[in-house]
Every structure is written in C-alpha cells, then in structure tokens.
Amino acid sequence: MTLAQALAQEWKTRLQEDYPNHNSDIHNSIICWLLGDDPSRLETLTPVQKEMASKGREFLYRILGQRYLDVSPERAYQNLMQRLSGLVMLRQKIRAWVNTSRDRQRSVIDVLQEVVQEMLNSDRYLQQQMAKIAECTKNSQLRNSLLLASVEEYCIRPIRNQPLLVYRFVNYLRRTQRGGLTQVPVKEWVKLISEDITPGDTEDRVSLLDAVVTSEYQDAEAMEQQHQLRSKVQEEFEKYLVEKVDEKAAEWLRLYIRGNTQDEIAQTLNMPVKQVYRLREKVSYHAIRVFALKQQPELIASWLGISLNEHGLGLTSSQWQEYWQNLNSQQRHLIEALKSGASIEEIAKKLNLKTNQVISEWTKLYLAAQSLRNSS
C-alpha cells in the first residue's frame, strides 16, 4: 500500500466518524482535495516535509468543518470575509488606503471582496486549486465549500510575519490606483463560484509578485525560523507544565504535538483514556490562563485545537451558537476584540475595565467553552 493509499484510508475512517450523515461520494471528494494535485509525490517527501504536509491537511480540514462544510454559499462567503477582515495588519492597510482614496465610503469588506475576486481570476495557485476541486467533485455546494476553505488557507499563509493576502492587496493597489475600485456585489461573487469554478485561460496574467511570494513561503530558511519559534514556545510551556502541573502534562503536550491521538497517548502514558482527556483540559486551561498575556498564546492554543480565531475554542458549530447566545454584550465585545487582535490593555480601555478584570473575564469565557466541550 502506498502512502497516499494509506492516508486515504485513514481519512475515510475519520470522515465516517466525523460526518456519518454524508455519503461516500462526499467523503471521497474531500479526501481527493486533501491529498492534493499529485498524491504520489508524498512518497518523495522527507520526514520533516511529511510532518508539515500532515499539519497542512489537518489545518485545511479544520477550516472546512468550522466555516464552510454544510453551510449555504451566501453564509460561507460571509464567513470567509469575516475571517479575512479579522487580519489586523490587512485591515489597517485597507483603511489607510481608503482614507486617502477618492472613494472614502468604501468598507474593508468592499475592498477585500475585490482583491479576492482578482485572486480567483489570476492567481496561479488558486487556479490550480479550482482545477483540482473540479476533478474531485461535481457537487456545486461542496465545490464552493472546498474552494472557500482553500482561499482562506492560502490568504492567511505567513510571509515575513504578514499574511500572504497583504502582499496581494499591495499588488492589487499598484494596478488599480489610476482606475479606482469597482463594485462587485456579494451575490454576483457567490454566483461566479457556484456556476463554474473550472479555470479559464488566465495564466498569462500571473504577476511577478506571485512567484516572489510563493518562493518566499517555500524558502527553507523561513521554515527553519518558524520551526525554531515553535520549538522555543513549546520548550517554555513544557517547563511550566513540569513545574506547575506535573510531568505527565508535559509528556501529553509532546505526544499531542507529534500528532498522536488520545488513544495512542493513553497507551503510551499507561493511563485510561478518560484521564487523558482530563489531562488535555488541564493543559489547555493552563495554556489559556497563564499564557493569555504571553507573546505566542495563539500558537499554543492552535496546537491544542482550542484557539479562538482558528478553532472557535474547540466548539462545534452548534456548540458555538449555544455559547454565543449565552454571552452578554460586554462578553461579546471582548470576544470580538480578542479575535481582531486587540491587546488586553486596549480592550480594558475600551470597556472601561482594569486589565486584571479583562483577564478574569476571558478566563471565565474560556472555562465556559471548556465546560460546553466536556458536556458533549
């Protein structure tokens, strides 16, 4: 059995567990999309490259399930725009440009949808993704879901500490400064995706920046820097767990980051699975409560699958709706501010609270999400 075949079998089992109401055609289409253009290439990857590819598939799968799968095209599109508009650096650049442009009535969303529209029309990578999705499924709604998940993942890739979409926005402005922005109504944008996502003859319009940014993203030195950062944060958090919790917690973190399932961790640690799940909640609690003001809180939360921005605190769509409905207006403002990247000090000033009050309130919000996760 080839690696691609083994991965396909693993994903088939997982999809059957996660989405039992979907038929095998949908499962197979998602697997086709996750394995990419050339599954046979997986055999030639180094161990480090295989691990990175595995994490990339996991990330795509989470994005798909959280915001796009089983969601109407209109709602899915809104989810994408809300996610991309939450990129603080991009939002600041767009607002600064709009304030100096001829049309000062435009919103961040107005500009974002035009930039993404152009990317779909001309970006080589997204053109390849659309072609692949067209091969994987003929189901129009599933095509929409897979495409929007691909667009989100691509747009938020880190390039020199900035999302890739920031570079696309700057490149877009270079070509539109004379003519200004043009309106692209949301309904027309959704219709464009739904009718036909097979690529047209647009490869000649790929700009030099496409090649430059893609090259930078794949640059080995940049990858090594990211790996060193992750290793440093992991080391610091492991030390804390050993000192403040216990050695088992640090061992759990190491095994989890390596990609082991809870069952595999239980076997390695010689512990009941229920106890391992409790250990996970203990680790995630300390990650949020203690590292809330640290430099890389979102990185640790992402490892645990409970980050606010990427994983919605680890809640399913229905759990998140229940969670959100139970929040008061101040708590909702706090959540939105954290998602937008505001600091604790900025939030405290805006809500007229002390910083320790904001930290305390955020801790309560996290614990409420943890309680909801455990109740299922």
Side-chain angles (χ1 to χ4, degrees):
M1 182 181 292
T2 65
L3 177 58
Q5 290 172 331
L7 287 172
Q9 187 59 48
E10 289 177 12
W11 278 106
K12 185 174 183 179
T13 301
R14 182 166 175 181
L15 282 161
Q16 288 172 343
E17 294 175 354
D18 293 348
Y19 300 101
N21 294 330
H22 287 309
N23 59 41
S24 59
D25 286 343
I26 292 181
H27 292 168
N28 291 335
S29 296
I30 294 174
I31 293 169
C32 171
W33 170 69
L34 287 172
L35 294 184
D37 283 334
D38 184 11
S40 62
R41 184 180 62 87
L42 297 171
E43 303 286 350
T44 65
L45 300 180
T46 66
V48 173
Q49 290 172 329
K50 287 179 180 177
E51 182 180 0
M52 290 175 60
S54 176
K55 289 180 179 178
R57 286 189 293 272
E58 286 287 342
F59 185 51
L60 265 178
Y61 183 65
R62 287 173 183 166
I63 289 175
L64 177 67
Q66 287 165 7
R67 283 183 278 281
Y68 307 114
L69 190 61
D70 298 329
V71 178
S72 69
E74 291 78 10
R75 180 67 251 182
Y77 171 70
Q78 291 172 9
N79 289 344
L80 175 67
M81 289 295 106
Q82 288 173 359
R83 175 69 182 97
L84 297 182
S85 66
L87 300 174
V88 178
M89 190 173 298
L90 178 66
R91 190 170 67 250
Q92 291 172 344
K93 285 183 178 293
I94 291 177
R95 284 176 175 169
W97 182 81
V98 169
N99 287 338
T100 59
S101 70
R102 289 176 298 176
D103 186 356
R104 299 187 181 184
Q105 303 302 313
R106 306 304 300 278
S107 69
V108 171
I109 297 296
D110 291 333
V111 181
L112 265 179
Q113 66 181 21
E114 293 193 18
V115 177
V116 174
Q117 174 75 73
E118 185 186 63
M119 288 175 65
L120 283 169
N121 290 340
S122 63
D123 185 277
R124 184 185 299 273
Y125 174 81
L126 290 179
Q127 290 285 310
Q128 292 171 343
Q129 287 297 297
M130 287 189 281
K132 179 62 180 179
I133 292 169
E135 292 176 4
C136 291
T137 181
K138 298 185 182 299
N139 182 316
S140 61
Q141 182 162 340
L142 182 57
R143 282 184 175 187
N144 290 339
S145 301
L146 299 180
L147 176 59
L148 293 175
S150 296
V151 170
E152 177 182 327
E153 184 275 334
Y154 186 56
C155 286
I156 65 177
R157 287 182 181 182
I159 311 296
R160 299 188 185 278
N161 297 320
Q162 297 186 51
L164 182 144
L165 187 57
V166 172
Y167 291 86
R168 291 297 188 272
F169 169 65
V170 173
N171 196 38
Y172 174 74
L173 288 187
R174 289 172 180 169
R175 296 191 297 274
T176 59
Q177 280 178 337
R178 291 183 180 180
L181 297 172
T182 57
Q183 288 277 28
V184 181
V186 171
K187 289 184 179 179
E188 290 186 16
W189 197 91
V190 173
K191 183 179 179 182
L192 172 68
I193 299 176
S194 301
E195 286 185 345
D196 185 9
I197 66 168
T198 55
D201 185 18
T202 58
E203 290 193 352
D204 292 339
R205 287 184 276 159
V206 177
S207 69
L208 175 63
L209 189 61
D210 288 322
V212 173
V213 174
T214 301
S215 167
E216 289 174 346
Y217 180 73
Q218 296 172 339
D219 184 78
E221 182 178 355
M223 291 297 185
E224 180 60 27
Q225 290 175 352
Q226 181 69 5
H227 177 70
Q228 290 175 359
L229 173 61
R230 293 174 68 90
S231 298
K232 181 180 178 181
V233 175
Q234 179 183 345
E235 182 181 353
E236 291 177 357
F237 191 44
E238 284 182 9
K239 286 180 181 178
Y240 168 83
L241 291 174
V242 171
E243 294 173 3
K244 303 296 184 180
V245 187
D246 58 46
E247 178 64 33
K248 291 286 187 183
E251 291 180 15
W252 179 91
L253 181 66
R254 284 191 289 269
L255 292 169
Y256 184 79
I257 291 175
R258 288 175 194 164
N260 289 278
T261 65
Q262 301 304 315
D263 289 336
E264 291 170 341
I265 295 174
Q267 185 175 2
T268 302
L269 298 182
N270 194 26
M271 296 170 61
V273 175
K274 287 185 178 181
Q275 190 174 344
V276 169
Y277 275 104
R278 286 197 295 270
L279 190 60
R280 168 184 170 153
E281 292 301 335
K282 186 182 293 186
V283 171
S284 59
Y285 170 81
H286 281 270
I288 296 296
R289 181 162 189 163
V290 179
F291 283 77
L293 294 178
K294 297 277 182 166
Q295 191 174 7
Q296 296 290 335
E298 192 71 10
L299 178 57
I300 296 174
S302 293
W303 284 338
L304 302 175
I306 46 85
S307 70
L308 177 59
N309 279 336
E310 301 301 335
H311 309 102
L313 297 175
L315 301 173
T316 64
S317 298
S318 59
Q319 287 175 332
W320 178 263
Q321 291 178 358
E322 179 182 348
Y323 177 76
W324 187 256
Q325 288 172 356
N326 290 328
L327 302 181
N328 59 40
S329 59
Q330 186 182 75
Q331 291 171 327
R332 291 182 178 182
H333 284 309
L334 174 55
I335 290 287
E336 293 294 348
L338 287 170
K339 290 176 71 174
S340 72
S343 68
I344 295 296
E345 290 77 10
E346 291 170 338
I347 296 172
K349 184 176 181 180
K350 186 173 182 179
L351 297 180
N352 196 26
L353 297 172
K354 296 180 179 178
T355 55
N356 63 335
Q357 289 177 307
V358 174
I359 296 170
S360 177
E361 192 62 35
W362 166 233
T363 302
K364 291 177 184 177
L365 290 171
Y366 168 73
L367 292 176
Q370 176 179 296
S371 177
L372 193 55
R373 288 198 306 271
N374 292 340
S375 67
S376 300

